[in-house]
Amino acid sequence: MSEKYRSKVLVVDDDILNVRLIESQLMTEYDIETAHSGEEALAILDSEKPDIVILDVMMPGMSGYDVCRIMKSSKETCFIPVIIVTALSSRDDRIEGIQAGADEFLTKPFDRFEVLTRVRTLLKSKQLHDELVSEADRTRKYLDIAGCMIVALDSNLTVTLTNAKCNEVLGYAEGELIGSSWLEMVVPSEDKERNESFFKTILEGSLRPVESFERNVVTKAGHKRLISWRNSYTEDSAGKVTMLLSSGSDITEKRDAEQKIKVSEEKFRAIFENAVDSIMILDMAFNILEVNPSLCDLLLYRKDEMLQLPKFDIIAPEYWSKCKEHLASALKKGHIVFETEYLRKDGSRVPVEISVKVIEYEGKPAILSNGRDITERKRAETTLQESEEKFRMLAENANDVIWTMNKEGNFLYVSPSVIKLRGYTPEEVMDQSFPEMFPQDSILKIRSCMDAFFADIQYARMTSHTEIMELEQFHKEGYTVWTEALATPLFDEDGNFKFFMGVTRDISERKKSQETIQKYVQDLGKANDSLHSLDRMKDEFISNLSHELKTPLISIKGYSELVHDEVLGPLNEKQKNAMQIVLDKYDHLSFLLDSLIYISITRSGKANYRFDPLRIEDALKKVMDYFTFKVTDKNIKMVRNFGSDLPLINGDVEYIPYIFRSLVDNAIKFSKSGGIIEISAYRDNDHVHVVVKDNGIGIPQAEFSNIFTPFYQVDSSLTRRHGGSGLGLHVSKTITEIHNGNIWVESEEGTGTAVHVIFPSYSLPCTGTKHNLSGLRH
């Protein structure tokens, strides 16, 4: 019989002590492979595939997150479970680990049982996954040979099978539809009720499945496809249908092509009959074959009269020759636009713009003529000419320079006031190129604005946008002048661009003032950047120092647990108690470092909170359990008094316990042997009220204003008896106020202290704004 297979674990950490610690915790059950850098780990993964990887985050060179991302992006290693090991436990670190693809997390320090549990769970999941993948691959080989769509539905219309062609047509990845409702994922909403009734009738045995039919489906991208289905089914021993198996072919393009031809014909007829423009169709000899109602109305003829008219009788005589030339040109070029005059039945005339195009009509070449009445446009052109004359009079007497410019950037008109601005006459300016008028920076501004305008001219037409630019211009005497130019595009009645119209004024004095202000702002900005840089250096120093202090404690924690749990050999009672004291002191030091890290990330603005409904009593019980050994050792009785109707609060499950850990730790620290600490929680109107009360030494009234100040100690002398950093109450107050709560202290020197914390219940809106809770204090 072969030996039982031992899973291989790859441990990656640049700290040799941490590697040996994890190896000693796992070596009895697994084969251990080690690496001391990300590069070394990837080299091992290329040559051999471990069953699981335990990966430290903080390593020189390539970080653990980078190694994890590379693993999860490779088909060869993406299914190997990864446990991220980090000394940082913030939400950002976990989110980065999740984004890198980590399967689990271990926060330093960790105990042996936690490591074994995580490894066993992930290895069992990987084994099940490998078995399922193998079975799925065998089935997929048969299905994917088929060139048509194949889908299987169970009696609940849940998808149990799809092949590659089905996934391709519907736009889903392999396996993405499995386990989903066919009605919800694929059937259009308007067809769901009919399809559900149809399938239900089949499954109940009232109707045999239809062998073939056509139905619409909806792809993942939301597009409808028409599928021709053929069905078969399986039955149980009682003759009940248990599974529907369908194969289908996509006939969307075929039906669309048929429908487009029909729609195109209907659309042409609808446009022809209802168009506002006057339309007629001529044969290649220019005889009228068809006219629309608009043309009849315009020329005052009935349709039957129009169809009997001789050639060119609807064109004014003096335009016949020119019209024949245009039609001949249309036959050569395929399309032409020109202006002429129609002759009405009563002898009156109508100016028209005609668009002529060669088309196919009833299977033969024909000429489509689209005529538009331009009577109003002709009147507008006359009015515009009069307006331009008025504009010229205004422009020539204005102080600002008024100008017009075409789309190529050539000035069409410049008012005489340009002489005062630049020293050149209007005629000289209109002959100048951009480099003769503007420095390069100003030319780039103008070109950029023009390019943006012509790239989206439809938007400019709709918004009537006016562009404002500050430009330098060359004066005839050699210096530059700062100007402000306002440019507005003008369009004709058909929406076609005509030219830019603009106004330019001298802003040299204003520019000088702006430059003076800008320099002052820049000087202030540099000073502010220096202050921010110093503040960042301080925060980074505290964060890095805290991390460096925590890192060597990992080995202390790990080896102490191994000794305490008697993994390395049996202990007597005195030795075991000594090791318990070491572990307790580690917890105290770790709590201090966590406080420093929290202060650092809060001041840097990087603290993130996740607010969820939670039970305050769960957080309090967790904190009381944590201090069980400490109160027993000091002969202190800790009692709890929780109300039975406590509402939920909206809080962060990671930060809420920190508040009460600090308060209970202070109560123990300042209580005498034989003292009592009472932890109460009760409903207070629409709030949850928590009180941590002790009968210890108390706080002098004069110190109340300072107790929430960071690093403040009531007894700050070198001979003080009670330890602590002075951060606990400050951090508790910060977290409480982040949760829209309030915290205050009631104490009398020599009789004890009561710390009150109050939070809004979950039923109240939590908007991030502090509520005024002063009226709720007792």
Side-chain angles (χ1 to χ4, degrees), residues 379-514:
R379 291 174 183 168
E381 289 173 353
T382 302
T383 303
L384 177 62
Q385 184 177 3
E386 295 173 354
S387 297
E388 287 178 347
E389 292 176 358
K390 294 177 182 178
F391 163 76
R392 189 174 299 276
M393 292 180 60
L394 174 65
E396 290 178 354
N397 292 280
N399 289 325
D400 293 336
V401 180
I402 299 174
W403 48 266
T404 60
M405 185 174 68
N406 63 18
K407 64 180 180 180
E408 286 78 24
N410 300 317
F411 285 101
L412 306 176
Y413 171 78
V414 181
S415 66
S417 51
V418 73
I419 298 175
K420 180 179 178 182
L421 179 69
R422 296 186 56 224
Y424 292 101
T425 66
E427 291 75 21
E428 290 174 327
V429 172
M430 291 172 68
D431 288 336
Q432 289 178 334
S433 64
F434 274 7
E436 295 175 296
M437 290 186 281
F438 306 102
Q440 187 62 29
D441 288 348
S442 296
I443 294 175
L444 291 175
K445 285 183 186 179
I446 297 171
R447 292 297 185 194
S448 176
C449 288
M450 292 179 68
D451 290 345
F453 167 78
F454 287 111
D456 196 357
I457 194 169
Q458 180 66 26
Y459 174 78
R461 184 187 299 114
M462 293 171 58
T463 58
S464 301
H465 178 65
T466 296
E467 190 70 39
I468 302 175
M469 296 174 286
E470 290 187 357
L471 306 171
E472 283 188 281
Q473 298 196 38
F474 293 126
H475 195 277
K476 191 172 185 177
E477 294 183 4
Y479 58 88
T480 60
V481 180
W482 272 106
T483 63
E484 180 181 74
L486 287 77
T488 302
L490 296 182
F491 302 89
D492 61 23
E493 61 183 9
D494 295 326
N496 300 313
F497 173 77
K498 293 178 62 179
F499 51 78
F500 294 105
M501 179 174 180
V503 177
T504 300
R505 61 173 56 95
D506 188 343
I507 59 167
S508 300
E509 293 301 321
R510 187 180 80 187
K511 198 67 179 176
K512 289 179 182 179
S513 301
Q514 289 177 345

Side-chain angles (χ1 to χ4, degrees), residues 584-592 626 630 661 665 724:
D584 289 345
K585 294 302 181 183
Y586 165 81
D587 288 339
H588 178 74
L589 182 56
S590 179
F591 183 61
L592 173 60
Y626 176 82
K630 191 169 184 179
R661 181 177 174 182
D665 185 56

Side-chain angles (χ1 to χ4, degrees), residues 177 196 461 634:
L177 278 172
E196 184 175 17
R461 184 187 299 114
K634 198 171 178 180

Side-chain angles (χ1 to χ4, degrees), residues 61 114 174 259-260 325 454 456 466 483 492 494 530 533 555 642 666 682 724 745:
E114 184 179 10
E174 181 180 348
Q259 184 64 22
K260 284 178 181 177
E325 293 178 9
F454 287 111
D456 196 357
T466 296
T483 63
D492 61 23
D494 295 326
S530 297
S533 178
S555 298
F642 297 167
N666 281 344
Y682 56 91
V745 174

Side-chain angles (χ1 to χ4, degrees), residues 525-656:
K526 290 178 181 178
N528 190 47
D529 289 343
S530 297
L531 291 175
H532 280 298
S533 178
L534 292 172
D535 194 47
R536 283 196 303 271
M537 290 173 61
K538 180 265 295 178
D539 290 337
E540 289 173 2
F541 172 75
I542 293 176
S543 179
N544 292 334
L545 178 62
S546 300
H547 179 267
E548 292 301 320
L549 289 173
K550 289 193 75 172
T551 299
L553 292 177
I554 298 168
S555 298
I556 296 174
K557 171 75 170 178
Y559 282 104
S560 296
E561 286 181 340
L562 288 174
V563 174
H564 180 268
D565 294 343
E566 301 182 308
V567 174
L568 303 180
L571 302 175
N572 59 38
E573 185 177 354
K574 183 178 294 185
Q575 291 170 332
K576 197 170 184 69
N577 289 338
M579 291 310 300
Q580 182 62 51
I581 292 172
V582 172
L583 291 173
D584 289 345
K585 294 302 181 183
Y586 165 81
D587 288 339
H588 178 74
L589 182 56
S590 179
F591 183 61
L592 173 60
L593 293 176
D594 287 342
S595 299
L596 288 171
I597 292 173
Y598 178 81
I599 291 295
S600 176
I601 64 175
T602 300
R603 288 178 59 81
S604 67
K606 298 178 180 178
N608 292 321
Y609 299 87
R610 176 174 176 173
F611 292 92
D612 297 300
L614 57 85
R615 288 159 39 97
I616 194 70
E617 53 265 51
D618 291 342
L620 294 173
K621 289 175 183 177
K622 180 178 179 181
V623 172
M624 294 177 71
D625 291 342
Y626 176 82
F627 285 107
T628 299
F629 180 82
K630 191 169 184 179
V631 295
T632 302
D633 185 58
K634 198 171 178 180
N635 192 26
I636 294 173
K637 184 178 180 181
M638 186 162 52
V639 297
R640 66 187 182 198
N641 182 19
F642 297 167
S644 60
D645 60 343
L646 290 177
L648 299 176
I649 68 168
N650 200 35
D652 189 304
V653 71
E654 182 177 336
Y655 286 109
I656 285 291

Side-chain angles (χ1 to χ4, degrees), residues 661-671 694 728-729:
R661 181 177 174 182
S662 177
L663 302 184
V664 174
D665 185 56
N666 281 344
I668 296 172
K669 186 190 306 180
F670 295 107
S671 292
D694 64 68
L729 284 176

Side-chain angles (χ1 to χ4, degrees), residues 284-332:
M284 302 306 288
F286 311 130
N287 297 307
I288 300 174
L289 300 177
E290 184 66 276
V291 294
N292 73 339
S294 293
L295 181 59
C296 296
D297 293 342
L298 180 66
L299 301 184
L300 309 177
Y301 287 101
R302 298 192 311 273
K303 182 175 181 179
D304 60 316
E305 292 175 330
M306 288 286 300
L307 297 177
Q308 299 299 320
L309 286 175
K311 299 177 183 179
F312 301 110
D313 274 15
I314 63 172
I315 302 294
E318 64 268 31
Y319 290 97
W320 285 356
S321 176
K322 197 67 176 176
C323 186
K324 290 178 182 179
E325 293 178 9
H326 289 314
L327 290 174
S329 179
L331 294 178
K332 292 180 180 180

